[in-house]
Amino acid sequence: EEGGGGGAGAGAGAAASGGAGDGGGAAQVSAVAAKAARPFLRVSGVRFALATQVYALVPNRTAVDRELEALRAAGQLLLVRAATSGDIAVVMRDEYDGYLGRLAAQLGGEAAVGGKSKARAGRAAPGKAEEERRVQAAAVAALRLITRTHADMSVKGRSWDRWLDAAVKRRDLVEGTPPGRACRAALVNLGLMTRRIDNPSVEQYWLTVPEAGPALRFFAAGRAEVAAILKRTKYKEVARKALEARQLSRSLLPTELHILDAVGAGVAEFVGSGRGAVVRLAKRHR
């Protein structure tokens, strides 16, 4: 069995929240799904967790999916895609909305919401960079409005165009808001949406975790490293407590988060319960 190794401390602009417990079946799904609503990392003011981590906390995946879907429909959570891996992530909807508001203000886009324009009279025509920022600000304002009323993590281009046109007609967005295709391109460039490639014949996008690229790359590397550590042991398992105490060489995030991700992704499994459990490599990965 391998012991804990040294390494850099947790960082990368993301802070881990309190310890994750062990799942106890369907009766605990609601409590744990609410914890997925208190996820493990905070990036740019938005807490998020990978759905795989929630699956590791509660073994009943069907019940977890049902609970998360209910929280999404109730407007408490957003389910988005991790752009680098395709994993589903859970974010707090109010924090996501707050992030979009701050970003719109930073881009100078508060004027894009509510039919109010702050354009100065007699102002010269904007240059290319200023026009790009204007389009980005308008796109972020549009995304903020749409995610307040539509909680789907996948957006079709045609649906976006309908929502955008209706919002302009209601004066929820100012006239002159760029057309849907320009807005979507701006959001992709800002890292807020990614184009779906599973059905190339349909223009469709996933919502993504804002500014979480470094953390998501750590998760991908950490999942592979946990599997490699387990493979090197004689019995393909390590005591959970010992593995959690070890700092991974390819990630700055707490190892506990990588263990939960690996278990929820089916790369590893918990054997036993509590802190005396072992983490064992799943048979299909041996």
Side-chain angles (χ1 to χ4, degrees):
E1 196 173 271
E2 296 194 18
S17 71
D22 297 299
Q28 290 185 334
V29 171
S30 184
V32 173
K35 275 190 206 176
R38 111 175 141 132
F40 310 103
L41 296 179
R42 185 185 296 273
V43 177
S44 299
V46 180
R47 289 172 292 166
F48 81 94
L50 297 180
T52 50
Q53 295 169 314
V54 187
Y55 291 145
L57 291 169
V58 181
N60 189 331
R61 287 190 173 220
T62 301
V64 169
D65 288 339
R66 191 162 50 238
E67 184 69 21
L68 290 178
E69 175 59 24
L71 291 168
R72 182 197 67 80
Q76 297 180 42
L77 303 177
L78 280 174
L79 301 179
V80 302
R81 284 279 173 170
T84 54
S85 66
D87 288 312
I88 295 174
V90 183
V91 301
M92 298 295 294
R93 187 168 180 171
D94 59 342
E95 293 176 353
Y96 186 85
D97 182 79
Y99 170 83
L100 294 180
R102 293 190 298 274
L103 181 58
Q106 178 185 334
L107 292 167
E110 288 290 50
V113 184
K116 299 176 183 178
S117 176
K118 296 180 181 177
R120 297 175 184 172
R123 188 172 181 176
K128 183 176 180 180
E130 187 174 350
E131 175 62 16
E132 182 178 353
R133 285 175 64 87
R134 187 192 73 80
V135 171
Q136 289 177 336
V140 171
L143 179 62
R144 188 182 187 194
L145 182 68
I146 287 171
T147 53
R148 286 177 175 178
T149 54
H150 299 81
D152 297 335
M153 68 177 178
S154 179
V155 180
K156 288 184 179 180
R158 285 181 294 181
S159 298
W160 175 282
D161 292 340
R162 287 199 307 271
W163 296 337
L164 209 60
D165 290 344
V168 171
K169 288 178 182 176
R170 292 194 308 267
R171 296 189 61 78
D172 291 332
L173 295 171
V174 296
E175 292 185 18
T177 295
R181 189 175 294 275
C183 281
R184 293 191 294 277
L187 293 171
V188 169
N189 289 335
L190 288 169
L192 294 171
M193 291 200 315
T194 184
R195 179 76 181 261
R196 288 183 62 170
I197 59 175
D198 52 335
N199 186 3
S201 63
V202 178
E203 186 189 4
Q204 200 161 2
Y205 299 83
W206 296 115
L207 298 181
T208 58
V209 184
E211 298 187 34
L216 294 173
R217 286 190 288 273
F218 281 146
F219 273 124
R223 186 184 296 180
E225 188 171 352
V226 167
I229 289 171
L230 297 175
K231 281 182 181 179
R232 289 197 297 268
T233 64
K234 182 176 181 180
Y235 297 107
K236 313 304 179 190
E237 63 184 39
V238 176
R240 179 177 178 178
K241 188 174 181 179
L243 188 55
E244 287 177 349
R246 176 176 184 152
Q247 179 62 49
L248 301 185
S249 63
R250 296 169 61 187
S251 172
L252 299 178
L253 303 180
T255 303
E256 178 187 15
L257 304 187
H258 293 296
I259 295 171
L260 290 175
D261 172 53
V263 170
V267 173
E269 59 187 358
F270 289 133
V271 179
S273 60
R275 304 295 285 185
V278 300
V279 182
R280 180 179 295 166
L281 188 68
K283 287 184 178 180
R284 64 189 180 92
H285 288 275
R286 295 185 185 185

